[in-house]
Amino acid sequence: MPYDSFAAMSREDVLAIRSYLLAQSPISQPRPANILPFPFNQRWTLALWKLANLHSGSFMPDRSRTAAWNRGAYLVEVLGHCGACHTPRNTTFGMDDNRKLAGGSAGIWQAFNITSDKIAGVGGWSDEELFRFLKTGAMPGKAYASGPMAETVMNSLQHLSDDDIHAMVAYLRDVPARPGDERQPRFSWGNVPTIADNAGTKAQGSGTAAGGDLYRSLCSGCHGANGEGSADGTPSLTHNTSPGAAVPDNVVMTILEGVKAGDVAGRKSMAAFAGWLDDAQVAILANYVTAQFGNPEASVTAADVRQMRAGTSTEQTVMLLAGQALAASGAGLLLGLLLLLAKRLRPRMRSTRLMFGHRDRR
């Protein structure tokens, strides 16, 4: 619930959403249990989080900017809460304002850098390309939305007016460039010659087929033998930001969960293979796709896939362990301070009892 973004909404927009929600048919459903791990299941810690990360006050237009730029800023930063996924988190798990829109995560899915950087971000996109991607989730030769971004296009962005999408583009064009670790744009991979079919054998495990065999049997019917896609809306795997990323997380998650595209602009959804393939086979197929059509330096193991299938990533596990260690250290420090205070107060309390006992005997 990105209320730290929604906090800047105008009163009129808040009341409009409230009116819409109250007009919906009521549904009786039990409140879900809190399944967050410690310390994130402690609601009192939100008070501390808000002190560090919640900025109060409504969105204030910049009078030196155009109306379109301000509209785009409001849509990107507030209503669209793009930073909730596309901005990395700081040590307190709030949005890092110094790296705004420089790339973050949406669960296991990677939310890429959308600053104006020409390599890591969207600085190499034209305005029309960025408009088309936001409106349809597909920009051949650049990117195809998958995971939460595909659902955002399907459920939200495709319904915006063209003026609103153009306003978002105008604002994104002005976001300061934030470089990343990429050596070349994610969409630029794909000009390499055909690689041997054993490219997928970088992953070790119990898979019974090499990457090429898995690709031909499961993927080539739609994506083509050379990953070129098809005219019916199936994406090309070359010049595609997901296979061209430095990490193959989105490729793995696409294999596991498929893509819900909603037939936006004729784009087809993709089936999920989580129930068909074991962890080693997913790793082999993902490695084949990245080596054959995208960034050959990206690789994944069966153990990585197992963790992603369970709903977490190595980085998130490290963050969870760090949070638990921090909470345990804080509790230990607090207990130590209480014991030290009690030890210091004990002689005073004993002295006080003796003094009052002496007075009583007199």
Side-chain angles (χ1 to χ4, degrees), residues 166-228:
H166 281 302
M168 294 176 69
V169 172
Y171 176 73
L172 289 173
R173 279 282 177 248
D174 206 41
V175 173
R178 300 294 183 186
D181 297 329
E182 293 88 349
R183 294 186 294 106
Q184 63 186 70
R186 289 180 296 275
F187 61 80
S188 65
W189 296 96
N191 288 325
V192 295
T194 300
I195 299 174
D197 285 345
N198 64 357
T201 58
K202 290 185 292 184
Q204 302 298 318
S206 59
T208 57
D213 294 333
L214 284 170
Y215 180 82
R216 282 188 292 272
S217 63
L218 299 175
C219 313
S220 63
C222 295
H223 290 286
N226 296 314
E228 69 275 15

Side-chain angles (χ1 to χ4, degrees), residues 23-160:
Q24 305 309 302
S25 300
I27 299 174
S28 178
Q29 181 169 301
R31 180 180 299 172
N34 187 345
I35 60 174
L36 289 171
F38 179 83
F40 305 107
N41 59 355
Q42 303 299 305
R43 288 189 176 273
W44 64 269
T45 61
L46 285 176
L48 301 177
W49 187 89
K50 289 178 181 179
L51 286 175
N53 299 294
L54 184 61
H55 307 291
S56 60
S58 299
F59 173 81
M60 297 299 294
D62 185 341
R63 301 301 180 188
S64 67
R65 302 286 188 170
T66 65
W69 187 96
N70 279 297
R71 177 62 176 168
Y74 184 67
L75 289 170
V76 170
E77 301 288 355
V78 183
L79 285 182
H81 56 278
C82 301
C85 295
H86 288 278
T87 295
R89 299 283 167 171
N90 57 31
T91 54
T92 61
F93 304 101
M95 285 187 283
D96 185 353
D97 292 334
N98 294 323
R99 298 278 297 164
K100 184 170 67 175
L101 302 180
S105 61
I108 313 301
W109 295 84
Q110 293 296 304
F112 295 129
N113 186 324
I114 54 173
T115 72
S116 55
D117 188 84
K118 291 187 176 182
I119 294 179
V122 294
W125 296 47
S126 69
D127 288 357
E128 182 56 35
E129 288 173 334
L130 195 51
F131 172 88
R132 179 174 174 180
F133 178 78
L134 292 174
K135 189 74 173 181
T136 68
M139 182 55 238
K142 287 290 193 300
Y144 296 86
S146 57
M149 187 63 195
E151 295 181 18
T152 298
V153 173
M154 178 175 63
N155 297 320
S156 179
L157 293 178
Q158 69 157 323
H159 303 293
L160 267 62

Side-chain angles (χ1 to χ4, degrees), residues 108 304-317:
I108 313 301
D304 296 328
V305 174
R306 187 176 305 112
Q307 201 165 23
M308 293 184 202
R309 193 194 291 266
T312 186
S313 66
T314 301
E315 180 181 0
Q316 291 170 338
T317 299

